[in-house]
Amino acid sequence: RGRSTETFMDAVKFISDCLAEVQFRLMATSDNLTNDELLWRPAPTANNIGSIVWHLARNEDARITNTGKLDEDIWATELWYEGFGHPITAPDSDRPDFTVAGSLRHLVTHKNNHHGQIDYLRGLQDEAWDLPGAPE
């Protein structure tokens, strides 16, 4: 019994550390961006950093709502959709309810994937760009 509790706590710490690390890197990569940098696109149909960050926040809000069986996303309850000039349903996915494990896995991998896109765009904007260091 003691070993399974220890293993569970190790898993919880690992997941928590992964979520914290990916959030730290995303925030550090997006720190101090100018409006021009947020809106810059390498091609007319490419996403800009601002839209990628918006997508990440919106997706995480929906994941937490769906996984936690909450009534509504912050997108709706805090009227974020109005501030972004979007309908309340944007983007409204028809995905089934998510498991906690699936949602945690998705939060880490989804954010890492889009962090890579943002990092790539930063590199295109400034050749001297480098990834921020890891937290101590």
Side-chain angles (χ1 to χ4, degrees), residues 44-82:
T45 58
N47 285 333
N48 59 44
I49 292 172
S51 66
I52 294 169
V53 172
W54 171 83
H55 166 75
L56 278 168
R58 182 70 184 105
N59 184 270
E60 287 181 19
D61 184 30
R63 276 284 173 166
I64 291 166
T65 299
N66 291 335
T67 303
K69 310 294 187 232
L70 303 175
D71 291 334
E72 287 189 283
D73 297 350
I74 291 173
W75 177 256
T77 60
E78 299 292 325
L79 308 178
W80 286 10
Y81 66 94
E82 290 179 354

PDB file of all heavy atoms in Angstrom, residues 44-82:
ATOM      1  N   PRO A  44       0.631  35.466 -45.618  1.00  0.00           N
ATOM      2  CA  PRO A  44      -0.705  36.010 -45.394  1.00  0.00           C
ATOM      3  C   PRO A  44      -1.691  35.061 -44.715  1.00  0.00           C
ATOM      4  O   PRO A  44      -2.560  35.504 -43.969  1.00  0.00           O
ATOM      5  CB  PRO A  44      -1.192  36.376 -46.807  1.00  0.00           C
ATOM      6  CG  PRO A  44       0.046  36.564 -47.600  1.00  0.00           C
ATOM      7  CD  PRO A  44       1.061  35.634 -47.024  1.00  0.00           C
ATOM      8  N   THR A  45      -1.564  33.768 -44.936  1.00  0.00           N
ATOM      9  CA  THR A  45      -2.510  32.827 -44.335  1.00  0.00           C
ATOM     10  C   THR A  45      -1.957  32.127 -43.079  1.00  0.00           C
ATOM     11  O   THR A  45      -2.631  31.282 -42.503  1.00  0.00           O
ATOM     12  CB  THR A  45      -2.926  31.754 -45.360  1.00  0.00           C
ATOM     13  OG1 THR A  45      -1.752  31.072 -45.813  1.00  0.00           O
ATOM     14  CG2 THR A  45      -3.667  32.384 -46.533  1.00  0.00           C
ATOM     15  N   ALA A  46      -0.761  32.486 -42.658  1.00  0.00           N
ATOM     16  CA  ALA A  46      -0.149  31.861 -41.470  1.00  0.00           C
ATOM     17  C   ALA A  46      -0.727  32.459 -40.195  1.00  0.00           C
ATOM     18  O   ALA A  46      -1.149  33.610 -40.161  1.00  0.00           O
ATOM     19  CB  ALA A  46       1.364  32.077 -41.505  1.00  0.00           C
ATOM     20  N   ASN A  47      -0.742  31.659 -39.138  1.00  0.00           N
ATOM     21  CA  ASN A  47      -1.159  32.169 -37.837  1.00  0.00           C
ATOM     22  C   ASN A  47      -0.101  33.104 -37.286  1.00  0.00           C
ATOM     23  O   ASN A  47       1.087  32.930 -37.531  1.00  0.00           O
ATOM     24  CB  ASN A  47      -1.367  31.018 -36.840  1.00  0.00           C
ATOM     25  CG  ASN A  47      -2.632  30.258 -37.100  1.00  0.00           C
ATOM     26  OD1 ASN A  47      -3.595  30.793 -37.638  1.00  0.00           O
ATOM     27  ND2 ASN A  47      -2.640  28.993 -36.723  1.00  0.00           N
ATOM     28  N   ASN A  48      -0.545  34.075 -36.512  1.00  0.00           N
ATOM     29  CA  ASN A  48       0.394  34.935 -35.801  1.00  0.00           C
ATOM     30  C   ASN A  48       0.472  34.473 -34.351  1.00  0.00           C
ATOM     31  O   ASN A  48      -0.320  33.625 -33.909  1.00  0.00           O
ATOM     32  CB  ASN A  48      -0.008  36.413 -35.921  1.00  0.00           C
ATOM     33  CG  ASN A  48      -1.395  36.691 -35.376  1.00  0.00           C
ATOM     34  OD1 ASN A  48      -1.765  36.201 -34.314  1.00  0.00           O
ATOM     35  ND2 ASN A  48      -2.169  37.480 -36.094  1.00  0.00           N
ATOM     36  N   ILE A  49       1.413  35.003 -33.601  1.00  0.00           N
ATOM     37  CA  ILE A  49       1.608  34.586 -32.214  1.00  0.00           C
ATOM     38  C   ILE A  49       0.361  34.878 -31.384  1.00  0.00           C
ATOM     39  O   ILE A  49      -0.062  34.060 -30.564  1.00  0.00           O
ATOM     40  CB  ILE A  49       2.856  35.261 -31.613  1.00  0.00           C
ATOM     41  CG1 ILE A  49       4.115  34.720 -32.293  1.00  0.00           C
ATOM     42  CG2 ILE A  49       2.921  35.044 -30.098  1.00  0.00           C
ATOM     43  CD1 ILE A  49       5.397  35.438 -31.920  1.00  0.00           C
ATOM     44  N   GLY A  50      -0.255  36.022 -31.609  1.00  0.00           N
ATOM     45  CA  GLY A  50      -1.461  36.372 -30.856  1.00  0.00           C
ATOM     46  C   GLY A  50      -2.570  35.354 -31.034  1.00  0.00           C
ATOM     47  O   GLY A  50      -3.208  34.939 -30.055  1.00  0.00           O
ATOM     48  N   SER A  51      -2.797  34.907 -32.269  1.00  0.00           N
ATOM     49  CA  SER A  51      -3.870  33.936 -32.491  1.00  0.00           C
ATOM     50  C   SER A  51      -3.517  32.569 -31.921  1.00  0.00           C
ATOM     51  O   SER A  51      -4.396  31.846 -31.451  1.00  0.00           O
ATOM     52  CB  SER A  51      -4.229  33.832 -33.975  1.00  0.00           C
ATOM     53  OG  SER A  51      -3.172  33.308 -34.725  1.00  0.00           O
ATOM     54  N   ILE A  52      -2.241  32.216 -31.917  1.00  0.00           N
ATOM     55  CA  ILE A  52      -1.829  30.934 -31.328  1.00  0.00           C
ATOM     56  C   ILE A  52      -2.046  30.956 -29.815  1.00  0.00           C
ATOM     57  O   ILE A  52      -2.587  30.004 -29.237  1.00  0.00           O
ATOM     58  CB  ILE A  52      -0.358  30.612 -31.675  1.00  0.00           C
ATOM     59  CG1 ILE A  52      -0.205  30.388 -33.177  1.00  0.00           C
ATOM     60  CG2 ILE A  52       0.119  29.375 -30.900  1.00  0.00           C
ATOM     61  CD1 ILE A  52       1.247  30.319 -33.645  1.00  0.00           C
ATOM     62  N   VAL A  53      -1.649  32.044 -29.165  1.00  0.00           N
ATOM     63  CA  VAL A  53      -1.839  32.147 -27.715  1.00  0.00           C
ATOM     64  C   VAL A  53      -3.330  32.156 -27.382  1.00  0.00           C
ATOM     65  O   VAL A  53      -3.762  31.510 -26.425  1.00  0.00           O
ATOM     66  CB  VAL A  53      -1.116  33.389 -27.143  1.00  0.00           C
ATOM     67  CG1 VAL A  53      -1.471  33.609 -25.688  1.00  0.00           C
ATOM     68  CG2 VAL A  53       0.395  33.235 -27.296  1.00  0.00           C
ATOM     69  N   TRP A  54      -4.130  32.881 -28.179  1.00  0.00           N
ATOM     70  CA  TRP A  54      -5.578  32.884 -27.966  1.00  0.00           C
ATOM     71  C   TRP A  54      -6.130  31.464 -28.064  1.00  0.00           C
ATOM     72  O   TRP A  54      -6.904  31.012 -27.219  1.00  0.00           O
ATOM     73  CB  TRP A  54      -6.277  33.787 -28.992  1.00  0.00           C
ATOM     74  CG  TRP A  54      -7.763  33.654 -28.935  1.00  0.00           C
ATOM     75  CD1 TRP A  54      -8.609  34.289 -28.080  1.00  0.00           C
ATOM     76  CD2 TRP A  54      -8.583  32.803 -29.740  1.00  0.00           C
ATOM     77  NE1 TRP A  54      -9.908  33.893 -28.318  1.00  0.00           N
ATOM     78  CE2 TRP A  54      -9.918  32.976 -29.334  1.00  0.00           C
ATOM     79  CE3 TRP A  54      -8.312  31.912 -30.783  1.00  0.00           C
ATOM     80  CZ2 TRP A  54     -10.980  32.295 -29.914  1.00  0.00           C
ATOM     81  CZ3 TRP A  54      -9.377  31.228 -31.362  1.00  0.00           C
ATOM     82  CH2 TRP A  54     -10.684  31.427 -30.930  1.00  0.00           C
ATOM     83  N   HIS A  55      -5.728  30.733 -29.099  1.00  0.00           N
ATOM     84  CA  HIS A  55      -6.179  29.358 -29.297  1.00  0.00           C
ATOM     85  C   HIS A  55      -5.799  28.481 -28.099  1.00  0.00           C
ATOM     86  O   HIS A  55      -6.621  27.691 -27.623  1.00  0.00           O
ATOM     87  CB  HIS A  55      -5.567  28.797 -30.589  1.00  0.00           C
ATOM     88  CG  HIS A  55      -5.703  27.314 -30.715  1.00  0.00           C
ATOM     89  ND1 HIS A  55      -6.890  26.691 -31.039  1.00  0.00           N
ATOM     90  CD2 HIS A  55      -4.780  26.334 -30.551  1.00  0.00           C
ATOM     91  CE1 HIS A  55      -6.689  25.389 -31.064  1.00  0.00           C
ATOM     92  NE2 HIS A  55      -5.417  25.144 -30.777  1.00  0.00           N
ATOM     93  N   LEU A  56      -4.590  28.628 -27.603  1.00  0.00           N
ATOM     94  CA  LEU A  56      -4.159  27.840 -26.448  1.00  0.00           C
ATOM     95  C   LEU A  56      -5.026  28.124 -25.226  1.00  0.00           C
ATOM     96  O   LEU A  56      -5.490  27.205 -24.550  1.00  0.00           O
ATOM     97  CB  LEU A  56      -2.694  28.144 -26.114  1.00  0.00           C
ATOM     98  CG  LEU A  56      -1.659  27.418 -26.935  1.00  0.00           C
ATOM     99  CD1 LEU A  56      -0.283  28.017 -26.699  1.00  0.00           C
ATOM    100  CD2 LEU A  56      -1.655  25.944 -26.597  1.00  0.00           C
ATOM    101  N   ALA A  57      -5.237  29.400 -24.944  1.00  0.00           N
ATOM    102  CA  ALA A  57      -6.034  29.776 -23.766  1.00  0.00           C
ATOM    103  C   ALA A  57      -7.469  29.284 -23.900  1.00  0.00           C
ATOM    104  O   ALA A  57      -8.050  28.751 -22.948  1.00  0.00           O
ATOM    105  CB  ALA A  57      -5.997  31.282 -23.567  1.00  0.00           C
ATOM    106  N   ARG A  58      -8.034  29.442 -25.073  1.00  0.00           N
ATOM    107  CA  ARG A  58      -9.418  29.014 -25.309  1.00  0.00           C
ATOM    108  C   ARG A  58      -9.547  27.509 -25.187  1.00  0.00           C
ATOM    109  O   ARG A  58     -10.486  26.984 -24.590  1.00  0.00           O
ATOM    110  CB  ARG A  58      -9.865  29.492 -26.697  1.00  0.00           C
ATOM    111  CG  ARG A  58     -11.290  29.142 -27.024  1.00  0.00           C
ATOM    112  CD  ARG A  58     -12.274  29.957 -26.176  1.00  0.00           C
ATOM    113  NE  ARG A  58     -13.626  29.512 -26.450  1.00  0.00           N
ATOM    114  CZ  ARG A  58     -14.336  28.754 -25.635  1.00  0.00           C
ATOM    115  NH1 ARG A  58     -13.855  28.372 -24.477  1.00  0.00           N
ATOM    116  NH2 ARG A  58     -15.558  28.391 -25.957  1.00  0.00           N
ATOM    117  N   ASN A  59      -8.583  26.771 -25.730  1.00  0.00           N
ATOM    118  CA  ASN A  59      -8.602  25.321 -25.657  1.00  0.00           C
ATOM    119  C   ASN A  59      -8.445  24.832 -24.224  1.00  0.00           C
ATOM    120  O   ASN A  59      -9.138  23.909 -23.796  1.00  0.00           O
ATOM    121  CB  ASN A  59      -7.499  24.742 -26.553  1.00  0.00           C
ATOM    122  CG  ASN A  59      -7.531  23.245 -26.580  1.00  0.00           C
ATOM    123  OD1 ASN A  59      -6.887  22.592 -25.762  1.00  0.00           O
ATOM    124  ND2 ASN A  59      -8.285  22.684 -27.517  1.00  0.00           N
ATOM    125  N   GLU A  60      -7.540  25.443 -23.470  1.00  0.00           N
ATOM    126  CA  GLU A  60      -7.348  25.039 -22.078  1.00  0.00           C
ATOM    127  C   GLU A  60      -8.599  25.308 -21.251  1.00  0.00           C
ATOM    128  O   GLU A  60      -8.984  24.498 -20.412  1.00  0.00           O
ATOM    129  CB  GLU A  60      -6.147  25.760 -21.468  1.00  0.00           C
ATOM    130  CG  GLU A  60      -4.841  25.230 -21.985  1.00  0.00           C
ATOM    131  CD  GLU A  60      -3.638  25.908 -21.365  1.00  0.00           C
ATOM    132  OE1 GLU A  60      -3.772  26.534 -20.291  1.00  0.00           O
ATOM    133  OE2 GLU A  60      -2.557  25.806 -21.956  1.00  0.00           O
ATOM    134  N   ASP A  61      -9.222  26.439 -21.486  1.00  0.00           N
ATOM    135  CA  ASP A  61     -10.459  26.769 -20.787  1.00  0.00           C
ATOM    136  C   ASP A  61     -11.512  25.694 -21.052  1.00  0.00           C
ATOM    137  O   ASP A  61     -12.159  25.193 -20.121  1.00  0.00           O
ATOM    138  CB  ASP A  61     -10.938  28.148 -21.259  1.00  0.00           C
ATOM    139  CG  ASP A  61     -12.162  28.650 -20.527  1.00  0.00           C
ATOM    140  OD1 ASP A  61     -12.356  28.308 -19.343  1.00  0.00           O
ATOM    141  OD2 ASP A  61     -12.935  29.407 -21.152  1.00  0.00           O
ATOM    142  N   ALA A  62     -11.672  25.300 -22.310  1.00  0.00           N
ATOM    143  CA  ALA A  62     -12.657  24.275 -22.663  1.00  0.00           C
ATOM    144  C   ALA A  62     -12.286  22.923 -22.059  1.00  0.00           C
ATOM    145  O   ALA A  62     -13.145  22.190 -21.578  1.00  0.00           O
ATOM    146  CB  ALA A  62     -12.780  24.164 -24.181  1.00  0.00           C
ATOM    147  N   ARG A  63     -10.994  22.571 -22.071  1.00  0.00           N
ATOM    148  CA  ARG A  63     -10.557  21.292 -21.492  1.00  0.00           C
ATOM    149  C   ARG A  63     -10.891  21.220 -20.008  1.00  0.00           C
ATOM    150  O   ARG A  63     -11.380  20.205 -19.525  1.00  0.00           O
ATOM    151  CB  ARG A  63      -9.044  21.127 -21.651  1.00  0.00           C
ATOM    152  CG  ARG A  63      -8.603  20.598 -22.950  1.00  0.00           C
ATOM    153  CD  ARG A  63      -8.855  19.114 -23.009  1.00  0.00           C
ATOM    154  NE  ARG A  63      -8.564  18.683 -24.360  1.00  0.00           N
ATOM    155  CZ  ARG A  63      -8.410  17.433 -24.704  1.00  0.00           C
ATOM    156  NH1 ARG A  63      -8.517  16.478 -23.827  1.00  0.00           N
ATOM    157  NH2 ARG A  63      -8.172  17.117 -25.945  1.00  0.00           N
ATOM    158  N   ILE A  64     -10.588  22.283 -19.301  1.00  0.00           N
ATOM    159  CA  ILE A  64     -10.839  22.301 -17.855  1.00  0.00           C
ATOM    160  C   ILE A  64     -12.336  22.215 -17.577  1.00  0.00           C
ATOM    161  O   ILE A  64     -12.779  21.480 -16.700  1.00  0.00           O
ATOM    162  CB  ILE A  64     -10.191  23.542 -17.219  1.00  0.00           C
ATOM    163  CG1 ILE A  64      -8.670  23.393 -17.267  1.00  0.00           C
ATOM    164  CG2 ILE A  64     -10.684  23.747 -15.786  1.00  0.00           C
ATOM    165  CD1 ILE A  64      -7.902  24.659 -16.974  1.00  0.00           C
ATOM    166  N   THR A  65     -13.129  22.947 -18.351  1.00  0.00           N
ATOM    167  CA  THR A  65     -14.575  22.897 -18.186  1.00  0.00           C
ATOM    168  C   THR A  65     -15.106  21.491 -18.458  1.00  0.00           C
ATOM    169  O   THR A  65     -15.871  20.943 -17.664  1.00  0.00           O
ATOM    170  CB  THR A  65     -15.271  23.893 -19.138  1.00  0.00           C
ATOM    171  OG1 THR A  65     -14.820  25.203 -18.816  1.00  0.00           O
ATOM    172  CG2 THR A  65     -16.778  23.836 -19.003  1.00  0.00           C
ATOM    173  N   ASN A  66     -14.692  20.894 -19.575  1.00  0.00           N
ATOM    174  CA  ASN A  66     -15.183  19.563 -19.939  1.00  0.00           C
ATOM    175  C   ASN A  66     -14.720  18.482 -18.970  1.00  0.00           C
ATOM    176  O   ASN A  66     -15.489  17.608 -18.607  1.00  0.00           O
ATOM    177  CB  ASN A  66     -14.739  19.196 -21.356  1.00  0.00           C
ATOM    178  CG  ASN A  66     -15.428  20.035 -22.405  1.00  0.00           C
ATOM    179  OD1 ASN A  66     -16.515  20.543 -22.184  1.00  0.00           O
ATOM    180  ND2 ASN A  66     -14.801  20.192 -23.548  1.00  0.00           N
ATOM    181  N   THR A  67     -13.475  18.540 -18.561  1.00  0.00           N
ATOM    182  CA  THR A  67     -12.929  17.525 -17.665  1.00  0.00           C
ATOM    183  C   THR A  67     -13.518  17.648 -16.272  1.00  0.00           C
ATOM    184  O   THR A  67     -13.836  16.655 -15.629  1.00  0.00           O
ATOM    185  CB  THR A  67     -11.393  17.639 -17.588  1.00  0.00           C
ATOM    186  OG1 THR A  67     -10.875  17.514 -18.914  1.00  0.00           O
ATOM    187  CG2 THR A  67     -10.805  16.556 -16.727  1.00  0.00           C
ATOM    188  N   GLY A  68     -13.676  18.884 -15.806  1.00  0.00           N
ATOM    189  CA  GLY A  68     -14.191  19.105 -14.462  1.00  0.00           C
ATOM    190  C   GLY A  68     -15.699  19.123 -14.365  1.00  0.00           C
ATOM    191  O   GLY A  68     -16.258  19.328 -13.305  1.00  0.00           O
ATOM    192  N   LYS A  69     -16.375  18.903 -15.491  1.00  0.00           N
ATOM    193  CA  LYS A  69     -17.837  18.900 -15.534  1.00  0.00           C
ATOM    194  C   LYS A  69     -18.414  20.214 -15.019  1.00  0.00           C
ATOM    195  O   LYS A  69     -19.402  20.250 -14.317  1.00  0.00           O
ATOM    196  CB  LYS A  69     -18.415  17.717 -14.753  1.00  0.00           C
ATOM    197  CG  LYS A  69     -17.818  16.370 -15.097  1.00  0.00           C
ATOM    198  CD  LYS A  69     -18.139  15.971 -16.511  1.00  0.00           C
ATOM    199  CE  LYS A  69     -17.680  14.549 -16.784  1.00  0.00           C
ATOM    200  NZ  LYS A  69     -16.863  14.419 -17.938  1.00  0.00           N
ATOM    201  N   LEU A  70     -17.752  21.307 -15.384  1.00  0.00           N
ATOM    202  CA  LEU A  70     -18.230  22.631 -14.983  1.00  0.00           C
ATOM    203  C   LEU A  70     -19.332  23.075 -15.931  1.00  0.00           C
ATOM    204  O   LEU A  70     -19.468  22.564 -17.040  1.00  0.00           O
ATOM    205  CB  LEU A  70     -17.072  23.625 -15.008  1.00  0.00           C
ATOM    206  CG  LEU A  70     -15.864  23.258 -14.136  1.00  0.00           C
ATOM    207  CD1 LEU A  70     -14.734  24.254 -14.354  1.00  0.00           C
ATOM    208  CD2 LEU A  70     -16.256  23.216 -12.676  1.00  0.00           C
ATOM    209  N   ASP A  71     -20.107  24.035 -15.497  1.00  0.00           N
ATOM    210  CA  ASP A  71     -21.235  24.489 -16.308  1.00  0.00           C
ATOM    211  C   ASP A  71     -20.801  25.225 -17.568  1.00  0.00           C
ATOM    212  O   ASP A  71     -21.281  24.952 -18.656  1.00  0.00           O
ATOM    213  CB  ASP A  71     -22.161  25.392 -15.486  1.00  0.00           C
ATOM    214  CG  ASP A  71     -22.890  24.609 -14.406  1.00  0.00           C
ATOM    215  OD1 ASP A  71     -23.085  23.396 -14.578  1.00  0.00           O
ATOM    216  OD2 ASP A  71     -23.253  25.228 -13.396  1.00  0.00           O
ATOM    217  N   GLU A  72     -19.894  26.190 -17.429  1.00  0.00           N
ATOM    218  CA  GLU A  72     -19.488  26.989 -18.578  1.00  0.00           C
ATOM    219  C   GLU A  72     -18.022  27.364 -18.478  1.00  0.00           C
ATOM    220  O   GLU A  72     -17.460  27.451 -17.401  1.00  0.00           O
ATOM    221  CB  GLU A  72     -20.304  28.284 -18.646  1.00  0.00           C
ATOM    222  CG  GLU A  72     -21.743  28.109 -19.081  1.00  0.00           C
ATOM    223  CD  GLU A  72     -22.392  29.455 -19.323  1.00  0.00           C
ATOM    224  OE1 GLU A  72     -22.741  30.122 -18.349  1.00  0.00           O
ATOM    225  OE2 GLU A  72     -22.518  29.822 -20.507  1.00  0.00           O
ATOM    226  N   ASP A  73     -17.430  27.629 -19.644  1.00  0.00           N
ATOM    227  CA  ASP A  73     -16.051  28.094 -19.721  1.00  0.00           C
ATOM    228  C   ASP A  73     -15.950  29.523 -19.199  1.00  0.00           C
ATOM    229  O   ASP A  73     -16.920  30.285 -19.229  1.00  0.00           O
ATOM    230  CB  ASP A  73     -15.584  28.124 -21.179  1.00  0.00           C
ATOM    231  CG  ASP A  73     -15.572  26.763 -21.847  1.00  0.00           C
ATOM    232  OD1 ASP A  73     -15.744  25.751 -21.154  1.00  0.00           O
ATOM    233  OD2 ASP A  73     -15.381  26.724 -23.070  1.00  0.00           O
ATOM    234  N   ILE A  74     -14.753  29.903 -18.781  1.00  0.00           N
ATOM    235  CA  ILE A  74     -14.479  31.299 -18.427  1.00  0.00           C
ATOM    236  C   ILE A  74     -14.766  32.184 -19.632  1.00  0.00           C
ATOM    237  O   ILE A  74     -15.202  33.315 -19.497  1.00  0.00           O
ATOM    238  CB  ILE A  74     -13.018  31.451 -17.957  1.00  0.00           C
ATOM    239  CG1 ILE A  74     -12.826  30.750 -16.615  1.00  0.00           C
ATOM    240  CG2 ILE A  74     -12.626  32.912 -17.860  1.00  0.00           C
ATOM    241  CD1 ILE A  74     -11.391  30.704 -16.151  1.00  0.00           C
ATOM    242  N   TRP A  75     -14.547  31.645 -20.821  1.00  0.00           N
ATOM    243  CA  TRP A  75     -14.842  32.346 -22.072  1.00  0.00           C
ATOM    244  C   TRP A  75     -16.253  32.944 -22.024  1.00  0.00           C
ATOM    245  O   TRP A  75     -16.471  34.069 -22.454  1.00  0.00           O
ATOM    246  CB  TRP A  75     -14.715  31.346 -23.202  1.00  0.00           C
ATOM    247  CG  TRP A  75     -15.035  31.825 -24.576  1.00  0.00           C
ATOM    248  CD1 TRP A  75     -16.178  31.556 -25.277  1.00  0.00           C
ATOM    249  CD2 TRP A  75     -14.223  32.621 -25.430  1.00  0.00           C
ATOM    250  NE1 TRP A  75     -16.107  32.139 -26.510  1.00  0.00           N
ATOM    251  CE2 TRP A  75     -14.926  32.794 -26.638  1.00  0.00           C
ATOM    252  CE3 TRP A  75     -12.963  33.203 -25.294  1.00  0.00           C
ATOM    253  CZ2 TRP A  75     -14.411  33.529 -27.700  1.00  0.00           C
ATOM    254  CZ3 TRP A  75     -12.455  33.932 -26.355  1.00  0.00           C
ATOM    255  CH2 TRP A  75     -13.172  34.087 -27.533  1.00  0.00           C
ATOM    256  N   ALA A  76     -17.185  32.183 -21.472  1.00  0.00           N
ATOM    257  CA  ALA A  76     -18.573  32.640 -21.391  1.00  0.00           C
ATOM    258  C   ALA A  76     -18.846  33.392 -20.090  1.00  0.00           C
ATOM    259  O   ALA A  76     -19.405  34.494 -20.113  1.00  0.00           O
ATOM    260  CB  ALA A  76     -19.521  31.448 -21.506  1.00  0.00           C
ATOM    261  N   THR A  77     -18.436  32.824 -18.960  1.00  0.00           N
ATOM    262  CA  THR A  77     -18.798  33.420 -17.674  1.00  0.00           C
ATOM    263  C   THR A  77     -18.132  34.761 -17.419  1.00  0.00           C
ATOM    264  O   THR A  77     -18.697  35.630 -16.768  1.00  0.00           O
ATOM    265  CB  THR A  77     -18.474  32.471 -16.505  1.00  0.00           C
ATOM    266  OG1 THR A  77     -17.072  32.191 -16.498  1.00  0.00           O
ATOM    267  CG2 THR A  77     -19.274  31.180 -16.600  1.00  0.00           C
ATOM    268  N   GLU A  78     -16.929  34.955 -17.940  1.00  0.00           N
ATOM    269  CA  GLU A  78     -16.214  36.215 -17.751  1.00  0.00           C
ATOM    270  C   GLU A  78     -16.320  37.137 -18.972  1.00  0.00           C
ATOM    271  O   GLU A  78     -15.648  38.168 -19.033  1.00  0.00           O
ATOM    272  CB  GLU A  78     -14.732  35.939 -17.448  1.00  0.00           C
ATOM    273  CG  GLU A  78     -14.509  35.137 -16.180  1.00  0.00           C
ATOM    274  CD  GLU A  78     -14.878  35.899 -14.917  1.00  0.00           C
ATOM    275  OE1 GLU A  78     -14.670  37.126 -14.875  1.00  0.00           O
ATOM    276  OE2 GLU A  78     -15.385  35.248 -13.973  1.00  0.00           O
ATOM    277  N   LEU A  79     -17.141  36.722 -19.950  1.00  0.00           N
ATOM    278  CA  LEU A  79     -17.421  37.523 -21.154  1.00  0.00           C
ATOM    279  C   LEU A  79     -16.179  37.790 -22.004  1.00  0.00           C
ATOM    280  O   LEU A  79     -16.094  38.808 -22.692  1.00  0.00           O
ATOM    281  CB  LEU A  79     -18.118  38.843 -20.788  1.00  0.00           C
ATOM    282  CG  LEU A  79     -19.359  38.736 -19.909  1.00  0.00           C
ATOM    283  CD1 LEU A  79     -19.905  40.119 -19.599  1.00  0.00           C
ATOM    284  CD2 LEU A  79     -20.418  37.851 -20.545  1.00  0.00           C
ATOM    285  N   TRP A  80     -15.223  36.857 -21.991  1.00  0.00           N
ATOM    286  CA  TRP A  80     -14.028  37.027 -22.809  1.00  0.00           C
ATOM    287  C   TRP A  80     -14.378  37.109 -24.288  1.00  0.00           C
ATOM    288  O   TRP A  80     -13.716  37.788 -25.059  1.00  0.00           O
ATOM    289  CB  TRP A  80     -13.056  35.882 -22.584  1.00  0.00           C
ATOM    290  CG  TRP A  80     -12.325  35.914 -21.284  1.00  0.00           C
ATOM    291  CD1 TRP A  80     -12.568  36.734 -20.211  1.00  0.00           C
ATOM    292  CD2 TRP A  80     -11.241  35.085 -20.911  1.00  0.00           C
ATOM    293  NE1 TRP A  80     -11.696  36.446 -19.204  1.00  0.00           N
ATOM    294  CE2 TRP A  80     -10.870  35.446 -19.594  1.00  0.00           C
ATOM    295  CE3 TRP A  80     -10.552  34.073 -21.545  1.00  0.00           C
ATOM    296  CZ2 TRP A  80      -9.833  34.828 -18.926  1.00  0.00           C
ATOM    297  CZ3 TRP A  80      -9.521  33.447 -20.869  1.00  0.00           C
ATOM    298  CH2 TRP A  80      -9.164  33.833 -19.574  1.00  0.00           C
ATOM    299  N   TYR A  81     -15.400  36.374 -24.712  1.00  0.00           N
ATOM    300  CA  TYR A  81     -15.769  36.372 -26.127  1.00  0.00           C
ATOM    301  C   TYR A  81     -16.100  37.778 -26.608  1.00  0.00           C
ATOM    302  O   TYR A  81     -15.793  38.132 -27.745  1.00  0.00           O
ATOM    303  CB  TYR A  81     -16.945  35.416 -26.394  1.00  0.00           C
ATOM    304  CG  TYR A  81     -18.247  35.821 -25.756  1.00  0.00           C
ATOM    305  CD1 TYR A  81     -19.179  36.563 -26.460  1.00  0.00           C
ATOM    306  CD2 TYR A  81     -18.552  35.452 -24.444  1.00  0.00           C
ATOM    307  CE1 TYR A  81     -20.386  36.937 -25.882  1.00  0.00           C
ATOM    308  CE2 TYR A  81     -19.735  35.817 -23.862  1.00  0.00           C
ATOM    309  CZ  TYR A  81     -20.650  36.562 -24.582  1.00  0.00           C
ATOM    310  OH  TYR A  81     -21.835  36.940 -23.993  1.00  0.00           O
ATOM    311  N   GLU A  82     -16.688  38.602 -25.747  1.00  0.00           N
ATOM    312  CA  GLU A  82     -16.990  39.974 -26.137  1.00  0.00           C
ATOM    313  C   GLU A  82     -15.711  40.783 -26.353  1.00  0.00           C
ATOM    314  O   GLU A  82     -15.599  41.532 -27.313  1.00  0.00           O
ATOM    315  CB  GLU A  82     -17.853  40.659 -25.078  1.00  0.00           C
ATOM    316  CG  GLU A  82     -19.271  40.126 -25.017  1.00  0.00           C
ATOM    317  CD  GLU A  82     -20.097  40.803 -23.931  1.00  0.00           C
ATOM    318  OE1 GLU A  82     -19.543  41.619 -23.142  1.00  0.00           O
ATOM    319  OE2 GLU A  82     -21.302  40.499 -23.864  1.00  0.00           O
TER     320      GLU A  82
END
